[in-house]
Amino acid sequence: MKRRFIVHIDIDAFFAAVEVLLDPSLKSKPLIVGGLPHERGVASTASYEARKYGVHSGMPLRKAYQLCPNGIFIRGNYQIYKTFSEKFFHLLSRYTPDVEEASLDEAYLELTRCRPLYSSFSRTVREIKQEVERKLGLTVSVGAGPSKLLAKLATTKAKPGGFFEIEPDREEEFLRNLGIESLPGIGPKAQVILWMLNIHKIGDLWTLPRATLHSLFGLNGDELYLQSRGIDSRPVTSVSVPKSVSRETTFLEDLWDKRLLLAHLAYLCDRLTLPLRQGGLFAHIIEVKVRYSDFKTEARRRLLLTPLQEMEKIYRIAQDLFLQLFSPSRLSLRLVGVKASGLVRSRPLSLFERYSERQERLGFAVDQVREKYGFGSLLTVREKMLESLYGFEKKRGFILKTASLTK
Ligand SMILES: [Mg+2]
């Protein structure tokens, strides 16, 4: 098979690095971006100085404060980071049309098609790295290899600030001594099982037959078999992600009952997260819209540094926003809607962030049941309330407007 030329680029400590650029006095300080020490939520980015204290992305802010009380905590500004991100992708698109946006600060480039344009692959990659760093003022780590998986693993080796290329016929050598946890298919559970089998390195995994891995982990086991050998045929897809996903309900009769309205909101969030899960999308912006009985429409939105996909987390934010808009003494509502935008394909996962893995699997299981038996076959407690009032199948009493993906 023809060798592919794939580059993975990741901006180092992105949010923290932008903050330093905006305020150079923060340079070389332990920075934690995501919120203030006693706020709810997690650290989105920790500077390398803060990481020395054990702080990492995905860690609750309180915990980060315990570990690093002298750290500088910053709430961060999605809008500013988004501007840098757009510039980043614009620069990359000048080298190849095959650019995949993995997240705000992470990209895959495939140079296979335009390889003839460049005399040396390594030199081109170095050029890209230098240009991005010069124009953005931010350091990036770059990995190169014959697949997305290998390019990404190479980046891990290049961090921070370096460039690492897996050369032809060196793949095996590269993979052999990496810890199994570096493979994306290995969650904490699988890791423990494999450790018990005395399998710690990717090279150890090669001793297990495919059938054994399959019996241990099912289809994930087959995936693992391929991953451990560096086999990954996923294309670099430049197809842009949808701009937003939204769901809204127009009531036949205006509603004022707060509990009922919140139940509707939960229902809408539930519907909203289905296309997110199906598309592997995470949202940086959650917006709630209401229309009052006097037809006035208002909306509130929240910008999130750590993008979300989970229904429960999205609902909690939507509820906060809704309560800012809704006052029982005022007017009743004709419409309520929720929108997810600022969509990205993946959330940078650290090992510790995988706690959401269970929730993710639950989401997929729920989708499967509903696909087979209908949406009403599985309802959350909040939605149950709607069922007794309206009955889901009949959809009596309210019109469900299921807006689709907007480009
Ligand atoms: Mg990064």
Side-chain angles (χ1 to χ4, degrees), residues 33 35 65 88-89 98 104 116 132 135 146 208 216 220 304 320:
V33 183
Y65 181 67
F88 174 59
F89 284 102
D98 302 319
L104 286 182
V132 169
K135 296 249 164 90
L208 294 184
L216 282 171
N220 288 338
L304 310 163
D320 273 5

Side-chain angles (χ1 to χ4, degrees), residues 191-211:
Q191 198 178 351
V192 171
I193 294 171
L194 290 166
W195 280 355
M196 288 194 300
L197 295 168
N198 207 19
I199 286 173
H200 298 272
K201 302 214 163 126
I202 293 180
D204 302 334
L205 261 179
W206 299 339
T207 61
L208 294 184
R210 188 169 181 155

